[in-house]
Amino acid sequence: MDRAIIFDVDGTLAETEEGHREAFNTAFEQAGLAWSWDQDLYRRLLAVTGGKERIRYFIEDFGADGAPQDNLDEFIRALHAAKTTAYTELVGAGRLVLRPGVRELISTASECGYRLAIATTTTPANIDALLAATFGDAGQGLFEVICAGDSVPNKKPAPDVYLRTLEELGLPPGRCVAIEDSRNGLLAACAAGIPTIVTPSLYTGGENFEEAAMIAEHLAAVDFADIEKLFG
Ligand code: XBP
Ligand code: MG
């Protein structure tokens, strides 16, 4: 089959951002920082994709105290590594489930011979933890291509991660459909020329999705036949 469905992870496969927010706050507490991101602040910080970039954004644009003047890169790297440990532990404890329709769509697409890929801003360890927690051992071989995190120079809304995914699939954008939850993700997929389905999530519900090929509350509300119509 020369068609592929490319899934975003956070907010699309599962409602993960509350787990990320909890993990950030755990890492801040472990580091002795008086930082705590509530939902209103986190919604604003989600304008920046990538956990390390989000921490830097908080320090530089929200006047956070406690970060060192020098070796800031190492400070952020270490803090984010602690966050990733906290996040993968809560995912491994079974705290997250797939969004409605995700498992069924993956199953139907696989049965129909569609190739499956992931294009995400998140850290690879987070994907491994989520796939193991939600698919068990079967999660390992489910996605033919996984492009994530720092593997590309520019994170969403830049198209880099989708362009890299297309390259690894060896497919043109018209033979793919992307599934996203956020405007940053929609812009990234559209900039790569990929028709995109948006299923808004907890933190993205009010965003502008005018470029989407389809908008649905969740994937359980989408007929596979309607997805097939989106392919060139
Ligand atoms: C969402 C992101 C990520 C997560 C946090 O990624 O922007 O940064 O919020 O994960 P996507 P990390 O929607 O593209 O899956 O801390 O590992 O970045
Ligand atoms: Mg997302």
Side-chain angles (χ1 to χ4, degrees):
M1 167 72 75
D2 65 345
R3 289 180 170 184
I5 299 177
I6 306 172
F7 290 82
D8 165 55
V9 174
D10 292 312
T12 298
L13 288 183
E15 278 286 8
T16 59
E17 290 297 352
E18 278 298 86
H20 284 299
R21 185 173 70 87
E22 178 182 321
F24 278 111
N25 287 334
T26 297
F28 300 155
E29 186 179 356
Q30 288 171 345
L33 294 163
W35 301 350
S36 181
W37 291 352
D38 64 19
Q39 287 190 341
D40 288 343
L41 174 55
Y42 195 59
R43 185 182 307 276
R44 293 164 63 197
L45 293 171
L46 277 170
V48 171
T49 62
K52 294 189 291 296
E53 294 80 359
R54 193 166 303 138
I55 293 170
R56 183 181 298 275
Y57 177 47
F58 176 61
I59 292 166
E60 296 177 350
D61 290 61
F62 288 74
D65 295 325
Q69 290 302 317
D70 50 12
N71 298 324
L72 185 58
D73 288 353
E74 176 51 28
F75 169 82
I76 291 173
R77 188 206 60 74
L79 192 55
H80 187 254
K83 175 266 174 182
T84 299
T85 298
Y87 178 76
T88 53
E89 284 174 359
L90 72 87
V91 174
R95 295 270 304 277
L96 298 181
V97 296
L98 296 173
R99 288 191 65 187
V102 168
R103 191 181 303 274
E104 293 78 4
L105 172 56
I106 287 172
S107 175
T108 301
S110 297
E111 287 163 8
C112 294
Y114 282 71
R115 299 162 70 186
L116 301 178
I118 281 177
T120 176
T121 303
T122 202
T123 301
N126 298 344
I127 307 166
D128 296 341
L130 183 65
L131 294 182
T134 54
F135 290 99
D137 292 342
Q140 277 310 311
L142 210 49
F143 295 91
E144 176 187 339
V145 169
I146 297 180
C147 294
D150 296 337
S151 66
V152 290
N154 306 296
K155 291 185 168 74
K156 301 174 184 177
D160 299 37
V161 70
Y162 278 105
L163 294 172
R164 174 76 177 273
T165 303
L166 290 174
E167 184 184 337
E168 293 199 18
L169 285 167
L171 289 175
R175 305 303 292 168
C176 299
V177 165
I179 304 179
E180 274 282 354
D181 73 301
S182 69
R183 179 158 184 74
N184 275 333
L186 172 62
L187 291 175
C190 289
I194 305 170
T196 304
I197 299 169
V198 173
T199 53
S201 60
L202 173 69
Y203 280 102
T204 67
E207 294 180 356
N208 172 6
F209 300 121
E210 63 186 342
E211 301 86 348
M214 182 193 300
I215 302 171
E217 180 187 358
H218 48 64
L219 290 174
V222 179
D223 289 335
F224 188 67
D226 290 333
I227 296 177
E228 292 194 291
K229 293 172 188 166
L230 299 179
F231 287 84

